[in-house]
Amino acid sequence: MKAPIAWLFIGAFLAFCAAFLVAPSAMLAVQSVFDDDGHLTAQYFAVLGQYRYEVAFRNSLFLSVASATSGVIAGGLISFAMLKPEAPRWLRTAVTSFAAVAANFAGVPLAFAFIATIGSLGMLTGMLKRVGIDLYGMGFSLYSITGLTIVYSYFQIPLMVIISIPAFEAMRPAWREAAENLGASAGQFWRLVGLPVLAPSLLSGWILLFGSAFSAYGTAYALTSGNIGLVTTEISAVLSGNVVSEPQVGAALSIGMIVVMVIVLLASSILSRRAARWTVRS
Amino acid sequence: MATVDITGVRKSFGGREVLAQLDLAMQDGELICLLGPSGCGKTTLLRIIAGFIAPDSGQVTVAGKDVTKLSASQRRMGMVFQSYSLFPNMSALDNVRFGPRVAGRPKAEQMKRAGELLELVGLSAHAQKFPHQLSGGQQQRVALARALAVQPQVLLLDEPLSALDAKVRVQLRDEIRRIQRETGVTTVLVTHDQEEALSISDRVAVMNGGRLLQVASPSAIYRTPADGFVARFIGSGAVFAGVAEGDAVRMGKLSLPAAAASDHHGRPVELFVRPEHVRLEAMNGHVPPGFLGADVRETTFLGSLTRVRVALHDAEGDAGLWADLPSEHAEAFKPGSRVVAKWDQNAVRVMPQA
Amino acid sequence: MNRLGIGGWSILVLAALFFGVPLVMTFAFSLWEGGDSYGFSAYQVLWHSPRLFEAASLSAELAVATVAAIIVLLVPAMIFMNLYAPRLRPLFEFIANLPFVVPAIALVAGLSALITGPDWLVETPFYLVIPYFFLALPYAFRSIDVGLKSIDLQTLTEAGLSLGAGMGQIVTLVVLPSLRSAIVGLTLLTLAVAFGEFTFANVLLFHTYAVYIDELGEHEVTGAAALSVASFLATWLAMLGVMYAGRSRTAK
């Protein structure tokens, strides 16, 4: 019983996705390799080697690596602490619900929250100055890669908390008890069993955090208005015509981003499948 | 190899008493089972011995030394858990050598010991496999080898067979017995499966409600259960409540023969009759002396034996009695037919009513 | 062994500080009226600002339109996929994960390159419904899928058909009501997306709520701070709603 109306709706959905998600991506791929005369060329990818874009890639990479690392460490520790059986139950609900909010808070409001806190005229900056600590005098600036890393951590850490909950829940207490029973200290347990078992999930989390930071746009834009080169802001600069570069460069940058994200997602899913294999059967 | 003494151990969780004043002395080299229904406190007791839980009061003494204050990692006991506790990131061999490894033994010694133990449990061929590549029974054998690798004074097993298939369970419990005999380690095994307990232990400690009801050899527990609970928990049988009168138990209009009733004359007692002690014959019109009339209610074919359930005449309620008969003889007794039943009055058990 | 150790608590306290201080400071900042005076004037100004309400209503309308698009486009497609074309499931799951692979900025670049007209499409802010649809897609797919699985779609449809109902009636009278909690959660999430989304709106030059905050921030930082606080609280409420909707679903 194949109602034709069914295929109408399925087809409409698929067509919509094809037209507005797949086609634009394909368009970018095409645009990045054809010059204005319609010839196949690699010149636009070559442009990516220019100083301006090299800086952007380096900045984006650094920012992504730094915020992913801080996210994994801090987020992992928070998850671990709140999931311990000894922890009070309200703690888990409070942390998970706050994490859900903070992970979505990224973007313009987050940027302004930090400007209001440790911007050059921020409240905390002012308070510290009154106690004799001059942040900006010491060289700190919110509007730098360091500042961005701190701001990004505000949504990276909660993201890690949310992602890592299943991994920590899969850690069986019997492993810890068996290790203890066999004479191992806490340090030995973590070094030989705990961390190795968690490693694939932690790595997968790091990779996802990297991807999230790499493709983030709103927070950086609101904070720096494009003054700090990042791949995402460079793409928007090309799109808004603020730069002399041709649109094909923007396309090349976008394709570069998509490639990075594909690798990110593949690596992450391979690692989580591996982690599942270890923890499900045994 | 050591003796284990539990003295005066008490434990409560959140106001609920889980273990009540327990005393138990285990002999060097014996395999003793802690047997009882879920919630009786047997696992709690095991974990107190292991050092994962501290008792509210009382002591645990191993080979004469008080270990109550020692942490689990200091007690030199080996433990096998119910849910597979093998470290998933290590091969079988690496799992087994874990204990010696964290104790700082030289690598050559670790490998040698692990190899010997894998040989003992019959898994040398699987040394390089990871836990997720092994079957449930194989994983438990590796867990056993791992626990033995630290040369423990006491071996503790927490329902090690519960999660396995029936056939594997039988094979593995015989393995455990064989290995225990070969190594001579004092072993405490917690289980709720009475067949398991009876088949491999030197002694069985039956527990219920946080108390020890009886500690004795399997045959003693079976033949002379200390009270009604133990009688019902171990094996099967019929229980009749009545008053002891001479060498019988009077239940309503029925006088049930029982030699042991004379020890409890005049008092309310429970009579416990095992199916293997009951004989059935077809009723030829009247009930011969020493027999009781009954109707066959149903028969259950168990293979070589058939269990026949009968309802005694003149009994209140549906006082059921079971008889285990060789299947060829049981064919004569169809549901609804009238029979006469007799049991060996010296073999049945009379216990004061709780 | 029963209480969280000092290590555990110090981690949590440090985290609480890191996450709480900016919020508190932002609120305090929003009360700053210049010099040493503090008060709610920034909030009062905002309350009377027509441009804020325009931006907020636009975002709200976009949210509603996006949810409508999901109900019209995604839900029927998923229902029919489950009933008649279960082999297409891997394709649907792949599509539901695609938005992660194509970052917002890349998608807007592609859309700008590809869709240059017609004017009635690209000039209306409701053009944003298209990218918003994709932003909500991963969550929408998962929660509707869970909802459909919990009602045994196949059996209900057959029961409805045998009683003489047409597919349209079955969808509107039977299936959609059962998806109520999924749709509630979806709406709240889409609201959060519509109000927080910046990339598409900024590049395509539409005046949504987030764009307004950014513009405001250029000359009125206290106002922007006030709106950020409001944003956070609103997101919190939305997320609580989403979690609550999810819980009542599993309670069935």
Side-chain angles (χ1 to χ4, degrees), chain A residues 1 6 9 13-14 16 20 23 28 78 81 84 86 91 98 104 108-109 112-113 117 121 123 154 215 217 221 261-262, chain C residues 1-2 12 15 19 22-23 25-26 28-29 74 76-77 80 84 100-101 103 106 114 130 133 198-199 202 217 228 239:
Chain A
M1 131 112 54
F9 276 101
F13 171 69
L14 292 175
F16 184 81
F20 297 110
L28 287 171
I78 294 174
K84 272 189 179 177
E86 310 92 70
L91 188 63
F98 185 83
N104 277 309
V108 177
F112 280 109
T117 307
L121 293 172
M123 296 245 61
Y154 201 89
S215 50
Y217 169 73
Y221 182 85
M261 293 308 288
V262 168
Chain C
M1 226 200 270
N2 260 341
L12 293 166
F19 286 99
L23 293 171
M25 295 283 137
T26 310
F29 189 89
L74 180 65
F80 291 124
Y84 302 127
F100 290 131
V101 168
L114 184 66
I130 296 176
F133 178 88
F198 182 71
T199 313
N202 192 41
S228 299
M239 283 301 129

Side-chain angles (χ1 to χ4, degrees), chain A residues 195-249:
Chain A
L195 284 174
V197 173
L198 280 174
S201 311
L202 291 178
L203 201 51
S204 155
W206 189 95
I207 291 175
L208 280 172
L209 258 55
F210 177 91
S212 136
F214 194 71
S215 50
Y217 169 73
T219 319
Y221 182 85
L223 210 48
T224 67
S225 314
N227 284 330
I228 301 182
L230 290 172
V231 180
T232 46
T233 52
E234 289 297 335
I235 296 177
S236 84
V238 170
L239 287 174
S240 56
N242 284 346
V243 211
V244 194
S245 303
E246 297 121 312
Q248 289 96 329
V249 176

Side-chain angles (χ1 to χ4, degrees), chain A residues 25-249:
Chain A
S25 315
M27 181 67 191
L28 287 171
V30 165
Q31 200 184 32
S32 60
V33 291
F34 282 101
D35 64 20
D36 294 322
D37 306 314
H39 297 131
L40 200 61
T41 171
Q43 69 185 88
Y44 301 112
F45 283 101
V47 169
L48 298 185
Q50 269 176 22
Y51 180 67
R52 177 201 187 90
Y53 297 114
E54 198 196 300
V55 166
F57 268 103
R58 247 188 296 130
N59 284 339
S60 282
L61 270 166
F62 182 88
L63 178 58
S64 308
V65 168
S67 65
T69 310
S70 76
V72 166
I73 296 177
L77 285 171
I78 294 174
S79 258
F80 175 66
M82 80 155 174
L83 285 175
K84 272 189 179 177
E86 310 92 70
R89 256 181 310 149
W90 57 263
L91 188 63
R92 177 170 176 170
T93 333
V95 173
T96 14
S97 61
F98 185 83
V101 181
N104 277 309
F105 192 47
V108 177
L110 180 65
F112 280 109
F114 269 88
I115 291 177
T117 307
I118 52 173
S120 38
L121 293 172
M123 296 245 61
L124 190 61
T125 321
M127 284 167 63
L128 288 172
K129 210 180 249 170
R130 276 196 285 267
V131 249
I133 307 175
D134 184 1
L135 281 178
Y136 283 76
M138 296 193 296
F140 168 79
S141 168
L142 177 65
Y143 316 101
S144 64
I145 292 286
T146 321
L148 270 180
T149 309
I150 296 176
V151 180
Y152 273 33
S153 301
Y154 201 89
F155 61 82
Q156 294 283 60
I157 295 175
L159 195 57
M160 181 63 186
V161 168
I162 295 174
I163 296 177
S164 63
I165 289 177
F168 282 105
E169 285 186 322
M171 298 274 296
R172 293 170 165 245
W175 295 335
R176 183 71 202 267
E177 290 177 347
E180 218 188 313
N181 171 256
L182 292 163
S185 67
Q188 283 170 320
F189 168 72
W190 282 107
R191 186 168 52 89
L192 296 172
V193 183
L195 284 174
V197 173
L198 280 174
S201 311
L202 291 178
L203 201 51
S204 155
W206 189 95
I207 291 175
L208 280 172
L209 258 55
F210 177 91
S212 136
F214 194 71
S215 50
Y217 169 73
T219 319
Y221 182 85
L223 210 48
T224 67
S225 314
N227 284 330
I228 301 182
L230 290 172
V231 180
T232 46
T233 52
E234 289 297 335
I235 296 177
S236 84
V238 170
L239 287 174
S240 56
N242 284 346
V243 211
V244 194
S245 303
E246 297 121 312
Q248 289 96 329
V249 176

Side-chain angles (χ1 to χ4, degrees), chain B residues 7-343:
Chain B
T7 36
V9 164
R10 247 203 217 97
K11 185 66 187 173
S12 296
F13 284 121
R16 201 172 49 97
E17 189 176 58
V18 173
L19 288 176
Q21 192 68 32
L22 265 173
D23 297 286
L24 180 60
M26 300 179 210
Q27 284 139 24
D28 184 15
E30 78 167 331
L31 198 171
I32 182 167
C33 266
L34 299 179
L35 174 67
S38 309
C40 69
K42 55 194 194 293
T43 299
T44 308
L45 181 58
L46 192 77
R47 291 170 73 87
I48 287 179
I49 300 174
F52 294 125
I53 305 178
D56 294 335
S57 61
Q59 282 179 321
V60 178
T61 310
V62 178
K65 187 164 156 241
D66 183 356
V67 300
T68 326
K69 297 274 186 293
L70 293 181
S71 73
S73 50
Q74 294 168 306
R75 293 196 188 194
R76 249 193 80 214
M77 297 183 183
M79 186 149 173
V80 177
F81 297 78
Q82 174 181 15
S83 64
Y84 321 133
S85 54
L86 296 181
F87 305 128
N89 56 309
M90 296 182 185
S91 67
L93 187 74
D94 287 336
N95 260 284
V96 176
R97 73 178 176 100
F98 185 82
R101 181 178 177 189
V102 295
R105 316 300 308 158
K107 183 118 184 248
E109 190 187 313
Q110 294 173 32
M111 302 302 263
K112 180 160 171 284
R113 182 106 183 106
E116 284 167 2
L117 285 162
L118 280 174
E119 177 83 42
L120 180 66
V121 300
L123 287 176
S124 301
H126 302 273
Q128 296 308 324
K129 293 225 176 109
F130 282 79
H132 69 268
Q133 297 170 303
L134 298 170
S135 73
Q138 288 171 326
Q139 288 184 40
Q140 286 300 63
R141 281 195 256 162
V142 174
L144 187 59
R146 184 178 69 176
L148 290 170
V150 297
Q151 286 175 304
Q153 306 178 81
V154 188
L155 182 62
L156 306 167
L157 299 124
D158 186 2
E159 303 213 41
L161 309 177
S162 306
L164 301 172
D165 296 333
K167 222 175 195 168
V168 180
R169 224 182 286 167
V170 175
Q171 277 174 351
L172 195 51
R173 79 180 184 215
D174 292 336
E175 280 282 295
I176 291 176
R177 185 43 158 167
R178 172 184 72 81
I179 291 165
Q180 194 268 339
R181 283 223 171 92
E182 258 185 66
T183 54
V185 178
T186 312
T187 302
V188 184
L189 189 148
V190 162
T191 180
H192 60 268
D193 182 341
Q194 42 113 347
E195 195 191 303
E196 195 176 300
L198 294 178
S199 64
I200 61 174
S201 334
D202 292 318
R203 284 196 302 162
V204 177
V206 182
M207 290 178 66
N208 190 34
R211 297 193 139 73
L212 272 178
L213 299 177
Q214 186 174 7
V215 185
S217 72
S219 57
I221 297 242
Y222 187 78
R223 271 188 270 120
T224 50
D227 66 13
F229 177 84
V230 180
R232 273 184 277 261
F233 195 76
I234 310 284
S236 28
V239 180
F240 301 109
V243 181
E245 279 180 359
D247 57 359
V249 173
R250 171 154 299 277
M251 183 177 83
K253 282 191 261 169
L254 289 173
S255 180
L256 308 170
S262 51
D263 294 332
H264 305 272
H265 183 74
R267 290 196 288 264
V269 291
E270 284 180 320
L271 172 63
F272 189 64
V273 184
R274 292 224 187 261
E276 61 266 27
H277 298 143
V278 180
R279 254 178 52 214
L280 296 178
E281 284 169 16
M283 168 130 69
N284 286 328
H286 73 289
V287 180
F291 279 78
L292 296 162
D295 294 316
V296 176
R297 288 278 187 255
E298 66 186 319
T299 63
T300 310
F301 178 70
L302 297 173
S304 61
L305 290 174
T306 295
R307 182 158 292 176
V308 182
R309 184 164 80 86
V310 302
L312 293 173
H313 294 159
D314 300 327
E316 281 136 25
D318 193 16
L321 178 68
W322 286 266
D324 279 350
L325 308 174
S327 295
E328 304 94 63
H329 299 174
E331 273 160 34
F333 303 108
K334 302 266 190 292
S337 56
R338 305 197 106 187
V339 295
V340 287
K342 182 184 183 140
W343 54 70

